[in-house]
């Protein structure tokens, strides 16, 4: 047994998830763990008259992940653990509220530190896996956010089934959400819709019809708030050599659930990306129809083609266009260095006023991850965004993220 696996045994057994550990060596021998260090600087300048000057903070995050193997037999048992710690490095007077750190209600600033512990039990039968406890996952109907210092977590049960070739089924039930800058689980609410609910139920599947074509059908219900059906299609057309065209089509229909209030939204999105060598050029279109904005769990990520660094372009009646360019410098002999720039423009937002709302956002990402040597896996990312709107905040934003991932065993 590797000496570091004693740590996994202690974590899992102490959580109550590791009862078979002493009797089942595979649970430990097949385990692995990693430590991620994430140093995050966030600056958001508010450009409109009458707004606060800026939100600016700097923090250090520690992310420890431990995943066990499974016990022997037709039914395998295991457990995972995630430990998260965020520490404030700098947050001046009046500059809190970046989402990196939890608010300190007493001072009006941010707390000096916060932590989270997530424990997950898992059961595997054939090619089916059931997890219960702390969850961080992504799907077309509900996705956890990881855009700040520490990731957001759900609490609940998640089932993934892959018993039929080229068909992946997923479903589950969630009862709480732990936001990025929070140590506590809380009830769900719907973005822009409001309300409170303690249950989100979902199910769906992705069918790979051919190696190039995949279709998706998913359903989600935020109990007593909304019900949503998603249909998607992705297709990759290869032209030979390094050229390809990817088509990504998405449609979602949302209606009320229960008696919270009436709800009517249809969201259509299409994104086409042409790749050649290290270049990728994308063009997207998104349209909101109905009397309401697109609903999704507050604090999570919506599955929309024009959900970008700051905006989601999902207001009532909004239509939006996107142009995007990516370049991978590996084509020039510099692996690990990538560049992305995009521009999204939205209009026709229904404001209940004579003039329609308009907004635009411009984003740029530059990322470099060292590929070898003693600093392998050290990454540096700069994210820049500019937002202008005639109905919301005008923003200039910069995020600087230094990260390092280390495999413990």
């Amino acid at each position: 047994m590797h000496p570091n696996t004693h740590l996994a045994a202690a974590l899992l057994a102490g959580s109550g998830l590791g009862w078979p550990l002493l009797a089942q060596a595979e649970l430990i021998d097949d385990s692995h763990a990693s430590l991620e260090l994430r140093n995050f600087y966030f600056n958001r300048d508010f450009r409109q008259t009458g707004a606060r000057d800026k939100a600016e903070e700097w923090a250090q995050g520690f992310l420890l992940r431990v995943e066990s193997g499974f016990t022997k037999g037709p039914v395998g048992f295991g457990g995972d653990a995630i430990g998260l710690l965020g520490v404030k490095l700098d947050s001046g007077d009046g500059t809190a509220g970046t989402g990196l750190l939890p608010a300190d209600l007493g001072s009006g600033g941010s707390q000096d530190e916060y932590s989270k512990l997530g424990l997950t039990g898992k059961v595997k039968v054939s090619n089916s896996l059931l997890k219960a406890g702390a969850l961080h996952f992504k799907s077309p109907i509900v996705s956890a956010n990881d855009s700040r210092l520490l990731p957001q977590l759900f609490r609940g049960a998640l089932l993934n089934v892959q018993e039929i070739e080229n068909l992946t089924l997923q479903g589950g039930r969630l009862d709480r959400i732990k936001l990025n800058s929070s140590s506590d689980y809380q009830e769900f609410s719907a973005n822009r819709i409001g309300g409170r609910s303690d249950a989100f139920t979902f199910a769906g599947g992705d069918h790979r019809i051919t190696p190039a074509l995949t279709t998706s059908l998913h359903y989600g219900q935020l109990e007593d708030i909304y019900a949503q059906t998603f249909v998607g299609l992705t297709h990759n057309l290869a032209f030979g050599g390094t050229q390809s065209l990817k088509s990504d089509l998405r449609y979602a229909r949302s209606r009320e659930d229960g008696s919270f209030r009436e709800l009517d939204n249809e969201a259509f999105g299409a994104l086409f990306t042409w790749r050649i060598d290290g270049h990728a050029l994308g063009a997207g279109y998104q349209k909101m129809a109905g009397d309401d904005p697109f609903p999704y769990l507050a604090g999570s990520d919506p599955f929309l083609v024009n959900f970008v660094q700051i905006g989601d372009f999902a207001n009532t009646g909004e239509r939006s266009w996107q142009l995007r360019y990516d370049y991978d410098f590996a084509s020039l002999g510099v692996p690990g260095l990538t560049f992305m720039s995009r521009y999204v423009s939205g209009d026709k937002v229904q404001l209940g006023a004579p003039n329609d709302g308009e907004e635009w956002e411009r984003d740029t990402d530059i990322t470099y991850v060292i590929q070898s040597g003693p600093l392998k896996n050290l990454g540096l990312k700069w994210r820049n965004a500019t937002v202008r709107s005639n109905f919301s905040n005008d923003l200039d934003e910069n995020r600087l993220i230094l990260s390092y991932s280390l495999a413990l065993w």
Side-chain angles (χ1 to χ4, degrees):
M1 182 182 294
H2 192 289
N4 284 330
T5 60
H6 290 293
L7 175 58
L11 279 172
L12 297 173
S15 71
L17 299 174
W19 57 267
L21 287 179
L22 298 178
Q24 299 287 348
E26 292 78 7
L27 199 66
I28 298 300
D29 292 342
D30 294 337
S31 70
H32 57 273
S34 64
L35 175 65
E36 180 185 351
L37 307 179
R38 188 180 293 180
N39 190 278
F40 206 126
Y41 169 76
F42 187 108
N43 176 284
R44 176 178 286 180
D45 287 330
F46 297 87
R47 311 303 296 180
Q48 70 272 24
T49 303
R52 60 184 295 201
D53 290 336
K54 64 180 180 179
E56 183 180 34
E57 292 183 306
W58 181 29
Q60 175 68 48
F62 301 86
L63 300 82
L64 174 65
R65 299 179 175 93
V66 180
E67 298 183 17
S68 79
F70 292 92
T71 58
K72 273 189 175 181
V75 180
F77 296 89
D80 302 335
I82 181 169
L84 307 171
L85 173 65
V87 179
K88 179 170 68 176
L89 299 178
D90 183 55
S91 179
D93 294 337
T95 63
T98 64
L100 297 187
L101 300 161
D104 184 350
L105 300 181
S107 66
S110 296
Q111 296 179 23
D112 291 336
E113 64 180 42
Y114 68 114
S115 61
K116 313 180 190 186
L117 175 63
L119 303 173
T120 309
K122 55 188 182 182
V123 181
K124 185 176 183 181
V125 179
S126 184
N127 291 319
S128 299
L129 178 62
L130 174 65
K131 291 186 175 182
L135 303 170
H136 182 91
F137 67 96
K138 293 185 178 296
S139 85
I141 205 70
V142 56
S143 292
N145 179 276
D146 192 14
S147 64
R148 292 296 194 273
L149 184 68
L150 302 179
Q152 172 248 303
L153 300 173
F154 295 116
R155 188 181 73 184
L158 173 68
L159 176 64
N160 284 287
V161 179
Q162 299 184 51
E163 302 296 337
I164 301 175
E165 187 177 3
N166 297 322
L167 177 64
T168 300
L169 302 176
Q170 185 184 71
R173 182 177 176 87
L174 312 174
D175 68 355
R176 288 294 185 273
I177 185 173
K178 186 178 292 187
L179 301 177
N180 302 75
S181 59
S182 175
S183 298
D184 303 315
Y185 283 111
Q186 62 187 55
E187 290 182 316
F188 297 114
S189 65
N191 192 63
R192 294 195 182 90
I193 304 299
R196 288 288 177 181
S197 177
D198 60 6
F200 185 84
T201 305
F202 60 101
D206 303 306
H207 182 204
R208 189 180 180 188
I209 299 174
T210 71
L213 177 64
T214 299
T215 59
S216 302
L217 177 62
H218 292 262
Y219 175 83
Q221 176 196 40
L222 182 58
E223 191 172 281
D224 295 326
I225 306 294
Y226 72 82
Q228 187 174 90
T229 301
F230 169 84
V231 180
L233 180 149
T234 59
H235 182 260
N236 282 284
L237 177 63
F239 293 106
T242 61
Q243 295 191 56
S244 66
L245 176 65
K246 180 180 180 180
S247 302
D248 184 350
L249 305 179
R250 308 176 190 180
Y251 170 80
R253 182 180 184 270
S254 304
R255 295 293 185 266
E256 68 273 5
D257 182 72
S259 58
F260 175 65
R261 76 170 182 83
E262 293 185 356
L263 179 65
D264 175 29
N265 175 271
E266 292 182 68
F268 171 78
L271 181 64
F272 302 95
T273 305
W274 176 62
R275 295 183 181 275
I276 179 170
D277 296 325
H279 305 273
L281 181 63
Y285 175 75
Q286 181 174 292
K287 179 69 173 73
M288 298 294 131
D291 299 327
D292 294 285
F294 180 79
Y296 58 95
L297 296 183
S300 70
D301 289 346
F303 195 64
L304 299 170
V305 297
N306 284 349
F307 169 62
V308 288
Q309 181 168 324
I310 297 177
D312 56 19
F313 294 84
N315 297 285
T316 304
E318 187 166 12
R319 65 178 185 182
S320 55
W321 298 86
Q322 176 184 164
L323 285 176
R324 171 172 175 156
Y325 173 73
D326 294 75
Y327 186 71
D328 187 341
F329 285 83
S331 298
L332 294 179
V334 189
L337 179 62
T338 58
F339 170 84
M340 184 281 296
S341 184
R342 66 187 165 212
Y343 177 82
V344 186
S345 178
D347 62 8
K348 301 295 184 181
V349 179
Q350 296 180 20
L351 303 176
N355 297 321
D356 291 330
E358 299 180 354
E359 59 179 341
W360 60 264
E361 177 172 338
R362 182 178 60 244
D363 301 330
T364 301
D365 283 9
I366 300 176
T367 304
Y368 181 62
V369 180
I370 297 175
Q371 302 295 295
S372 60
L375 295 179
K376 182 180 179 180
N377 296 326
L378 178 66
L380 177 64
K381 180 188 289 286
W382 173 49
R383 310 196 71 188
N384 172 267
T386 301
V387 174
R388 295 294 183 267
S389 170
N390 67 358
F391 63 92
S392 188
N393 291 325
D394 292 342
L395 308 170
D396 290 342
E397 183 180 282
N398 286 284
R399 307 179 191 182
L400 190 62
I401 308 163
L402 183 67
S403 63
Y404 179 69
S405 296
L406 175 66
L408 301 179
W409 68 83

